[in-house]
Amino acid sequence: MYEDSWYNLVPDHTHKRNPSIPQTGHRRRESLLQQPHGSKQPDTVEPLEELLEELETPIEPPEATLSRRAKSYSDFYHVVRAQLSKDATAKKRRKKAKERTLDALMVEKLGDSVRRQTPAQLESLGDELIEASQQEYLIYRDQLEMTERHLDTLITDTNSALDLLTSLADSFRAVESQTSSFQAQCDDLLSEERRLQKLADEVGTDLHYYAYLDGVTRRLNAPGASRLVNHESFGEIMTNLDACIAFMVDHPDYRDAESYLARYQSLLTKALHLLEVGFTSHLDRISSDLSKQIAATQSDSARHALAYGRFEEMVLEVDGLVANAQRVIRSCYDQLGNPVPGQTFDYYSNTAVNIFSSYWDVRDRDLRPITQHDLEVFRKDIKEINAETACRNFIKQCYERSYDEATIFSRIFSVEPQYNMDPQSAYAALKTQQKALVHAANIAPIATTLQSVLQTSELQTVCNLLGWMTNEYLLLEYDEEETQYSIYCHDLTARLLIEHMWPLTDNAFEAEVIKSISKATVSPESLKIASVVNGVASSNAHPITKRALELLAMYDQAMPKERSSSPVVFRIVNETILAMQRAESRLKSTKAANPDPDPDLFMIKNLLILKNGLVSLEIGDVRSHPAAMQHFSQIWDTLSPQNWMGLFRGILGGSLSLGLWSSAASASPASNRKALPARNQAPVEQDANEKLDELLRQSIYAFTQRWGTLINAARSGKHGAKSLVATEKELDEKLLTAFGGQPEVVAKLKEAIQINAQAQKEMKAEKGTR
């Protein structure tokens, strides 16, 4: 705004002097102590004392300095005030220096010199002194006057600026007041424009769903409409048809909505039919070329390359057709084949099922030479090797081909159907396609081929095959990594076992139980108890018991532990018990005083062998219907020998019946009363394991009671009774023959006999006291 130089501008003051007064300048005056020129000077001059004299500070304008520019009036005031303070300090300094100079000179008799001055000179000197003394104040006065002028200029400019800003503010307020109404009107116009635009868009959108009908009708009914399925624009047609159908369904109150809905649905059916025909024709063209090449090729590797690699390449060549087919499939199924509910689900699912059917027809026809070759190899292996190995190789071959088919299917249709019981799922749609070709949803060809061989094979072969399938595909090693192929084979094997192989195996076991246990012939030689061979406890068991153990072992080998409580196990145990009861009745029918073998010992021996077999196979809950797996304690813990004294006394005293001596015998009377079934209550499900324990207790009680009576008679010396030594010897011989190499069983039976004998003795003593 202003130059910086005016703040330190010092004007040039020219002091006008009187011309009559001589100019003395700054020449140093003569000392008043100097002698007159006429006087005679002495010869010797005494030295004067040295004067301490300071140089007189010249009086001159202060040095120009660049002061800080004032930003406002208050800043300028502080700057001037600071400068004046500096000048006052410098003035005091000069005054003190002058006083010190005068003191140093020690001027005396100044009045004589002053008296010699003329009045004119004195006046001139006075003016000079006044001017010299006021020189500094005159400079300050000039600076203040100049500052005042500049401040007045700043105030004037500031006032004019304030006036201008005030006028501008008034103008802006006037403009604002004038434009407020205009802005409100503009806002109203914009709101109305948006409303009209939205309304126009809605009307245009709704109109589009009506106007689209004529155009799409002409396109789908045109002579070359079948070629549309090979282009991506066909997918846009189906998308628009879906949107139009959804709009008509959501707005049934619109004009002619029902009529337009029917016409759009008809056009969608027409479009899907065009796609189905186009895809089927594409597959037929590929099949006509590829099937001949496969039939003419004898190499397995070349057939595999043609059937899978070349087929996939030829199908995916027409990418527009495949993309449209994938869009139809994914409109009704997700990636895993689960149904996707929607308004057009039925239309798309029907087309998808038809496309699947056409695809599997072509694949089954093209791969028939390969399928026939696999069957021929399977039959050849049965004759040359054995049925088990042939079945294993056939299962592996079918799994590999099924996995290859599943891979191609997922790449073509972009869906991987998983096992699903929903009838609307892709798995259910594929399961209806029962062809000779094996795929993820069609494992019946494997089961049919295996059943035709296994039905005439031995039961052990069937169990070995099922055990191999379980260990190979269902159970993974701890260091084995899961792959896509292993997961696929796991699912395929699970369905094959559950749906086909396990029912086949159960039927085979049923037939074997009837043949070797239920209808087995019991010869007199088989009823005798021979000595144990090589310390094997089951070596002298009855042949029926041995066969039952073999069947239980085979079933445990073929089935997982979760199926150990199946009806087959119940049937084996129950039929074996019935067979042993028939044999016991046959032994008791002789009515000999000392039968050989002992019927009760015969039952104990065989029932213990059967019980040990169940325990070793970890089969605890053997019911007539499958139930949850339950663990059971060991045989002797189950029989509870620590309670036998009370049980024997109760049975002998008539307070406890032999039929109630089961698992409920150890319960309290109150719980027994609560356990009584009501008249209308359903019968308790029979447990073969509990039945086995009950029969074992009954046989042990009968055996220990008879031998306890014999031992008491021998001890009492009863007439006609054998001696105690002979009785004990005979007992040892029978026990060692039946349970050779099992001292723990012999010891427990002897302990039970002693307990029974003691109970009989106590009961007899009680009756004598009465």
Side-chain angles (χ1 to χ4, degrees):
M1 182 175 178
Y2 296 99
E3 295 292 337
D4 293 336
S5 59
W6 70 269
Y7 287 103
N8 297 319
L9 180 62
V10 179
D12 238 2
H13 295 278
T14 306
H15 303 285
K16 296 180 180 180
R17 300 182 181 273
N18 191 351
S20 61
I21 300 176
Q23 299 295 331
T24 58
H26 293 285
R27 185 172 52 87
R28 185 173 182 178
R29 297 175 184 176
E30 293 180 359
S31 175
L32 298 176
L33 298 179
Q34 185 178 359
Q35 295 294 327
H37 296 286
S39 63
K40 186 176 181 180
Q41 298 293 337
D43 296 335
T44 59
V45 179
E46 295 181 1
L48 295 176
E49 293 181 358
E50 186 178 359
L51 299 177
L52 296 176
E53 181 176 332
E54 291 183 2
L55 295 177
E56 182 179 359
T57 304
I59 300 174
E60 58 185 5
E63 184 180 358
T65 57
L66 182 61
S67 301
R68 182 167 58 89
R69 182 176 179 178
K71 295 181 180 179
S72 63
Y73 176 77
S74 59
D75 293 340
F76 185 79
Y77 170 76
H78 292 305
V79 170
V80 173
R81 186 181 180 92
Q83 186 64 35
L84 292 177
S85 177
K86 282 184 184 180
D87 294 341
T89 304
K91 181 180 177 182
K92 288 180 181 180
R93 227 186 257 115
R94 286 194 299 270
K95 185 176 180 181
K96 288 181 180 179
K98 186 175 180 182
E99 291 176 356
R100 285 196 300 271
T101 302
L102 293 176
D103 293 339
L105 291 176
M106 294 181 294
V107 179
E108 295 181 1
K109 296 181 180 181
L110 184 60
D112 295 337
S113 175
V114 173
R115 283 192 294 272
R116 287 196 295 268
Q117 300 292 333
T118 62
Q121 292 178 344
L122 292 175
E123 184 178 0
S124 175
L125 291 175
D127 294 338
E128 290 179 1
L129 290 174
I130 293 174
E131 183 179 358
S133 62
Q134 294 181 353
Q135 181 68 29
E136 185 176 358
Y137 296 100
L138 292 175
I139 295 173
Y140 294 155
R141 184 194 64 185
D142 295 338
Q143 291 179 352
L144 290 176
E145 290 176 354
M146 181 179 61
T147 301
E148 183 179 6
R149 288 195 301 271
H150 285 288
L151 291 178
D152 292 339
T153 304
L154 288 176
I155 292 173
T156 303
D157 295 342
T158 304
N159 291 331
S160 62
L162 290 175
D163 295 338
L164 179 60
L165 291 177
T166 303
S167 62
L168 288 176
D170 295 338
S171 301
F172 282 127
R173 281 192 291 271
V175 172
E176 182 181 4
S177 62
Q178 293 175 3
T179 56
S180 296
S181 60
F182 178 74
Q183 183 179 2
Q185 295 176 2
C186 292
D187 292 339
D188 295 340
L189 291 176
L190 291 175
S191 301
E192 183 67 15
E193 182 183 4
R194 286 193 293 268
R195 187 185 68 81
L196 294 176
Q197 183 66 33
K198 182 180 179 181
L199 182 60
D201 292 340
E202 292 177 354
V203 173
T205 302
D206 296 347
L207 184 61
H208 169 73
Y209 294 107
Y210 286 89
Y212 185 71
L213 180 62
D214 295 335
V216 71
T217 302
R218 288 192 300 269
R219 295 187 66 182
L220 293 178
N221 292 326
S226 58
R227 294 191 295 270
L228 289 174
V229 297
N230 297 329
H231 302 283
E232 296 181 357
S233 59
F234 186 78
E236 297 178 0
I237 292 177
M238 289 189 293
T239 302
N240 293 333
L241 288 176
D242 290 343
C244 292
I245 292 174
F247 178 81
M248 296 303 170
V249 171
D250 295 337
H251 302 86
D253 298 335
Y254 280 23
R255 183 177 180 181
D256 298 333
E258 184 177 356
S259 174
Y260 274 84
L261 175 61
R263 297 178 66 180
Y264 279 129
Q265 290 175 345
S266 176
L267 290 174
L268 179 61
T269 304
K270 174 73 173 178
L272 294 175
H273 178 70
L274 291 175
L275 178 62
E276 177 185 341
V277 172
F279 192 81
T280 304
S281 301
H282 179 54
L283 293 177
D284 291 339
R285 286 193 299 270
I286 296 174
S287 176
S288 62
D289 183 25
L290 204 60
S291 59
K292 296 177 182 179
Q293 299 181 27
I294 295 176
T297 305
Q298 299 300 326
S299 174
D300 293 340
S301 59
R303 282 184 172 181
H304 186 276
L306 290 172
Y308 297 101
R310 181 56 181 163
F311 175 78
E312 179 183 358
E313 181 182 353
M314 296 177 68
V315 171
L316 297 179
E317 283 179 353
V318 188
D319 53 352
L321 178 62
V322 175
N324 292 327
Q326 291 178 357
R327 186 194 177 284
V328 171
I329 302 300
R330 295 304 297 272
S331 296
C332 53
Y333 304 116
D334 61 8
Q335 180 67 28
L336 300 179
N338 300 315
V340 179
Q343 298 169 350
T344 57
F345 174 80
D346 294 336
Y347 297 92
Y348 284 109
S349 61
N350 291 334
T351 304
V353 171
N354 295 334
I355 290 176
F356 291 159
S357 178
S358 301
Y359 175 82
W360 290 120
D361 288 341
V362 170
R363 293 299 291 166
D364 184 68
R365 184 172 63 250
D366 293 345
L367 299 183
R368 190 163 298 170
I370 299 178
T371 305
Q372 293 296 331
H373 176 71
D374 293 341
L375 292 176
E376 292 174 1
V377 173
F378 173 67
R379 297 188 185 98
K380 182 179 179 181
D381 290 343
I382 293 175
K383 296 178 181 180
E384 295 181 356
I385 307 177
N386 55 63
E388 182 180 346
T389 304
C391 291
R392 291 185 181 186
N393 295 336
F394 181 73
I395 291 174
K396 291 181 180 179
Q397 187 69 33
C398 291
Y399 280 7
E400 291 177 0
R401 300 200 186 282
S402 177
Y403 180 73
D404 293 337
E405 285 293 335
T407 303
I408 295 179
F409 185 86
S410 63
R411 291 175 182 173
I412 294 177
F413 296 108
S414 185
V415 64
E416 299 176 7
Q418 302 295 322
Y419 181 80
N420 196 334
M421 296 301 295
D422 191 344
Q424 293 183 336
S425 63
Y427 177 83
L430 293 176
K431 195 172 183 180
T432 58
Q433 311 296 327
Q434 297 296 329
K435 311 291 181 182
L437 182 64
V438 179
H439 55 81
N442 183 31
I443 57 176
I446 304 178
T448 303
T449 305
L450 294 178
Q451 287 174 0
S452 62
V453 177
L454 296 178
Q455 285 177 352
T456 58
S457 301
E458 296 181 357
L459 184 59
Q460 185 64 50
T461 302
V462 178
C463 295
N464 292 340
L465 180 62
L466 264 66
W468 171 80
M469 293 176 63
T470 302
N471 295 326
E472 183 73 15
Y473 297 109
L474 293 184
L475 304 178
L476 295 178
E477 299 293 338
Y478 69 94
D479 57 345
E480 185 178 357
E481 296 182 359
E482 280 191 348
T483 60
Q484 293 295 331
Y485 179 72
S486 64
I487 296 174
Y488 180 82
C489 293
H490 180 277
D491 297 341
L492 213 63
T493 303
R495 296 203 306 271
L496 182 62
L497 290 174
I498 294 173
E499 296 176 5
H500 301 281
M501 302 306 296
W502 284 350
L504 171 67
T505 306
D506 290 348
N507 294 333
F509 270 94
E510 291 283 349
E512 184 63 25
V513 169
I514 294 175
K515 175 184 175 181
S516 59
I517 297 180
S518 301
K519 296 183 178 181
T521 302
V522 179
S523 60
E525 291 78 9
S526 64
L527 296 177
K528 296 181 180 180
I529 301 178
S531 300
V532 176
V533 180
N534 297 327
V536 180
S538 61
S539 60
N540 60 345
H542 193 271
I544 294 179
T545 305
K546 293 180 180 180
R547 185 55 179 168
L549 292 178
E550 293 175 357
L551 293 178
L552 289 174
M554 286 190 293
Y555 194 84
D556 181 73
Q557 173 193 0
M559 301 295 174
K561 293 300 181 183
E562 289 78 10
R563 299 203 75 228
S564 60
S565 60
S566 69
V568 174
V569 178
F570 167 80
R571 184 70 183 274
I572 294 173
V573 176
N574 189 56
E575 291 297 328
T576 303
I577 292 174
L578 294 177
M580 292 299 100
Q581 287 179 336
R582 291 195 297 269
E584 181 187 21
S585 301
R586 187 171 176 178
L587 291 174
K588 290 181 177 180
S589 63
T590 58
K591 297 182 180 181
N594 189 11
D596 187 26
D598 190 318
D600 298 321
L601 186 61
F602 175 82
M603 289 294 292
I604 294 173
K605 170 66 180 180
N606 288 279
L607 293 179
L608 278 178
I609 293 296
L610 185 60
K611 182 70 175 180
N612 284 328
L614 291 175
V615 173
S616 62
L617 295 176
E618 298 180 2
I619 302 175
D621 187 12
V622 188
R623 297 182 181 273
S624 57
H625 299 287
M629 291 289 292
Q630 296 179 0
H631 299 284
F632 63 101
S633 59
Q634 297 297 323
I635 297 175
W636 292 105
D637 293 336
T638 304
L639 297 177
S640 302
Q642 63 273 14
N643 299 325
W644 281 6
M645 174 61 77
L647 292 172
F648 289 155
R649 290 175 58 86
I651 294 172
L652 294 173
S655 62
L656 187 65
S657 64
L658 187 60
L660 293 178
W661 187 24
S662 60
S663 59
S666 60
S668 62
S671 63
N672 288 336
R673 286 194 299 268
K674 293 180 181 179
L676 294 177
R679 178 178 300 178
N680 297 328
Q681 186 177 356
V684 179
E685 187 179 31
Q686 187 180 14
D687 188 343
N689 203 12
E690 293 180 359
K691 183 178 181 180
L692 178 61
D693 292 342
E694 182 179 353
L695 291 177
L696 190 57
R697 291 190 187 95
Q698 293 177 5
S699 299
I700 291 174
Y701 171 75
F703 179 75
T704 54
Q705 182 186 25
R706 186 165 62 84
W707 281 98
T709 303
L710 292 176
I711 288 177
N712 286 335
R715 287 175 177 175
S716 61
K718 187 177 180 179
H719 179 70
K722 295 182 181 181
S723 64
L724 181 61
V725 176
T727 302
E728 291 180 347
K729 181 179 180 181
E730 182 181 1
L731 176 62
D732 291 340
E733 290 178 353
K734 289 182 177 292
L735 292 178
L736 290 176
T737 301
F739 302 103
Q742 303 172 63
E744 67 277 4
V745 178
V746 176
K748 289 182 181 294
L749 288 176
K750 285 184 177 181
E751 180 185 0
I753 292 172
Q754 295 297 331
I755 293 175
N756 199 313
Q758 181 67 24
Q760 293 181 22
K761 185 176 180 181
E762 292 179 359
M763 292 299 300
K764 185 176 181 180
E766 290 180 1
K767 290 181 180 180
T769 56
R770 293 176 183 176

